[in-house]
Amino acid sequence: MRVRITCWLAAAASVAAAALVAAPAADADTPTSYSGSTSSGGTWVADVPRAWNGTLLLFSHGFGPVEAADAPDEATKQALLNRGYALAGSSEGPSTGNWWTLGVALDDQFETLAGVRAKLPAPARQVIAVGQSMGGLISALENEHAQGRLDGVLTACGLVEGADPILQYQLLGQYAMSRLLAPGEPIKLVNFPGAAAGSGPAQGLATGKQLTEYAQQAQRTPQGRARLALAMAFLNTAPWAAGDAKPGPKDYAEQERQQYKVQFTTDSGMTPIELVELARGYMEEAAGGNASRTAGVDFARELGRSPYLPQVRALYRSAGLNLDTDLAGLTATADIKPDAAATRWYARTSQPSGHLTVPQLNLHTISDQLIPVQAEDYYGRTAARAESDPLLRQAYVERVGHCDFTPAELVAGVRAVQHRVEKGRWDDVATPGKLDAVAKSLDLGDAAYIPFRPAPLTGVAPTAG
């Protein structure tokens, strides 16, 4: 089973629905390719098939080396070109720049759109933004700032909760690990040295390796596993690992074993905890400091709202530990405070308000080791508070892995958004049954859309999500 962490670290209605299913493929043997540059020093690329269907897809890539891309992978790119879609996307900044590109990404993407429009053989009938991982956040923000330039949005495995919640729940889990598994050990969690001078990512990675080592030690004992389960609750770690059967709802020991496998093992050179710490280094450099906190957090209250509470309680009981004591200790010693300037930078560049201007469909796998599926609950609540929920649909794929979608699933998602744009209503095209049927009709691989409702995101205040 593929686990596409490369999008984080590439270098390390029935008639209408029937029409969607039966849409003929176009001849894309000789697409015309274009390229250009942006005012940030970045680049853009575009591919227009000979039998263009009039729809342009504006793609935003995930976290990783800053390189222009107009599709998530070659198989999906060819599938879209074969069906007549024109594709475009930018590097979201200069190639020598920070991998967290939110400071310039929207400008670069909209400049790309303007540049590509000038090259198209006719005006685009519709423009749909498509984003993956960090690019899903970018596409969601493009929605809020579309100003008539977009007609719809598709996000896949997106960081749609935004930077602030991501960094906040990750910090709570990492802090719990450091205090409970390695008390007294010097583990740097925030304000990495050189946050404005280029060494933040290296320090972040070093911290991630420390946390991996302490987790490996903890996993050997019942007490360590119980405390690790507590930390993983704050990390929102999925209890279903690649290659394993999903554990039962009350098989708490097996849930913890698979959570450990999800968060602290790897077949790609870096564990997920190491990847997210590397990313924190880049993000702190971009923002100029730390924007998350432990000071003032009531850890018992946060865990009390978590779907993982029964699991943590059960493992603490079986290990002979006092959960209340550990939670009180975490609260008492929590002293990490955010930097106001960094907080403002994230609010300005990296945090969705939920005020959608065009229809949007979000896709997520139900076990994502980097951006938990609970992010979709957070984003759904954000959109509902902004009274934008009629424009939003969310769909889920029964699979393990970050961004692990088949071309069939992604093309079906594009088709659903296109239907909403053209008809002015969703009908049933964004339901799991219809998405799955459309995807399986495309002869592009497997599809696994299912009915699913994600739990709330642990570690962030309910007023924020």
Side-chain angles (χ1 to χ4, degrees):
M1 187 173 293
R2 300 186 313 279
V3 179
R4 292 184 186 167
I5 59 176
T6 53
C7 59
W8 270 76
L9 188 64
S14 59
V15 172
L20 291 177
V21 173
D27 182 357
D29 289 344
T30 56
T32 302
S33 297
Y34 301 95
S35 62
S37 59
T38 65
S39 58
S40 74
T43 59
W44 60 262
V45 295
D47 290 281
V48 182
R50 186 166 60 189
W52 178 41
N53 64 17
T55 297
L56 172 64
L57 304 183
L58 181 64
F59 178 69
S60 297
H61 66 73
F63 179 86
V66 184
E67 300 172 353
D70 60 9
D73 56 72
E74 285 301 315
T76 302
K77 177 175 181 173
Q78 194 60 53
L80 291 166
L81 289 170
N82 287 349
R83 285 157 179 80
Y85 294 98
L87 313 176
S90 77
S91 58
E92 303 160 6
S95 61
T96 56
N98 189 295
W99 290 6
W100 185 257
T101 61
L102 271 294
V104 298
L106 266 64
D107 288 342
D108 274 31
Q109 286 292 86
F110 286 129
E111 285 182 27
T112 295
L113 178 58
V116 175
R117 281 185 185 275
K119 303 290 186 181
L120 292 173
R125 293 200 305 268
Q126 52 197 219
V127 178
I128 298 174
V130 179
Q132 163 173 290
S133 193
M134 182 185 73
L137 171 58
I138 293 168
S139 294
L141 291 168
E142 288 171 348
N143 191 333
E144 298 180 7
H145 299 274
Q147 298 178 352
R149 292 171 288 191
L150 301 177
D151 300 286
V153 170
L154 175 70
T155 79
C157 54
L159 284 65
V160 289
E161 69 269 57
D164 181 71
I166 293 170
L167 292 170
Q168 182 61 28
Y169 72 70
Q170 288 175 348
L171 178 60
L172 297 191
Q174 294 150 8
Y175 165 75
M177 288 185 65
S178 67
R179 294 295 303 174
L180 298 176
L181 305 183
E185 294 296 322
I187 303 177
K188 188 80 170 173
L189 298 179
V190 297
N191 294 317
F192 294 135
S199 64
Q203 180 60 54
L205 178 57
T207 291
K209 290 183 179 297
Q210 285 182 287
L211 294 173
T212 295
E213 180 181 349
Y214 288 120
Q216 291 169 345
Q217 295 172 8
Q219 190 66 10
R220 299 168 187 164
T221 68
Q223 294 77 18
R225 291 191 291 272
R227 286 176 165 141
L228 198 52
L230 174 58
M232 291 190 292
F234 292 118
L235 289 168
N236 293 275
T237 304
W240 181 27
D244 290 322
K246 282 189 287 188
K250 293 187 178 181
D251 191 349
Y252 299 129
E254 179 62 9
Q255 289 174 14
E256 190 279 337
R257 185 193 70 81
Q258 293 198 34
Q259 285 176 304
Y260 169 81
K261 184 177 177 182
V262 165
Q263 193 74 66
F264 301 107
T265 65
T266 183
D267 58 3
S268 64
M270 283 190 190
T271 66
I273 196 74
E274 292 165 9
L275 283 169
V276 300
E277 286 299 289
L278 176 78
R280 183 181 285 271
Y282 277 107
M283 293 170 77
E284 286 197 356
E285 284 191 356
N290 164 58
S292 45
R293 68 169 67 239
T294 62
V297 173
D298 185 327
F299 282 79
R301 183 174 62 184
E302 295 298 332
L303 183 65
R305 293 192 283 253
S306 173
Y308 299 105
L309 176 60
Q311 177 210 42
V312 175
R313 279 178 170 166
L315 294 179
Y316 261 74
R317 282 196 300 269
S318 64
L321 294 175
N322 189 307
L323 177 58
D324 292 339
T325 298
D326 276 1
L327 290 169
L330 291 173
T331 299
T333 58
D335 61 359
I336 298 173
K337 297 180 181 180
D339 177 76
T343 301
R344 288 192 297 269
W345 189 88
Y346 286 122
R348 186 176 70 253
T349 67
S350 310
Q351 196 59 46
S353 69
H355 289 278
L356 280 65
T357 65
V358 296
Q360 180 170 314
L361 172 61
N362 292 359
L363 310 181
H364 222 108
T365 55
I366 66 171
S367 179
D368 186 324
Q369 80 277 26
L370 294 179
I371 299 301
V373 69
Q374 294 94 316
E376 296 294 343
D377 178 81
Y378 187 100
Y379 186 76
R381 293 171 187 264
T382 302
R385 285 196 306 277
E387 299 182 348
S388 295
D389 44 322
L391 288 171
L392 177 66
R393 293 294 184 270
Q394 294 162 291
Y396 304 95
V397 168
E398 189 177 32
R399 191 173 296 121
V400 176
H402 183 57
C403 303
D404 194 11
F405 300 101
T406 65
E409 290 160 348
L410 293 172
V411 173
V414 170
R415 291 272 183 90
V417 176
Q418 189 174 12
H419 172 97
R420 174 60 177 81
V421 170
E422 293 174 349
K423 303 298 183 181
R425 59 185 185 271
W426 285 107
D427 296 322
D428 66 347
V429 295
T431 63
K434 187 57 65 176
L435 283 166
D436 206 57
V438 170
K440 288 176 177 175
S441 75
L442 297 172
D443 194 27
L444 290 173
D446 190 22
Y449 282 104
I450 61 165
F452 185 80
R453 184 184 180 95
L457 194 63
T458 299
V460 293
T463 55

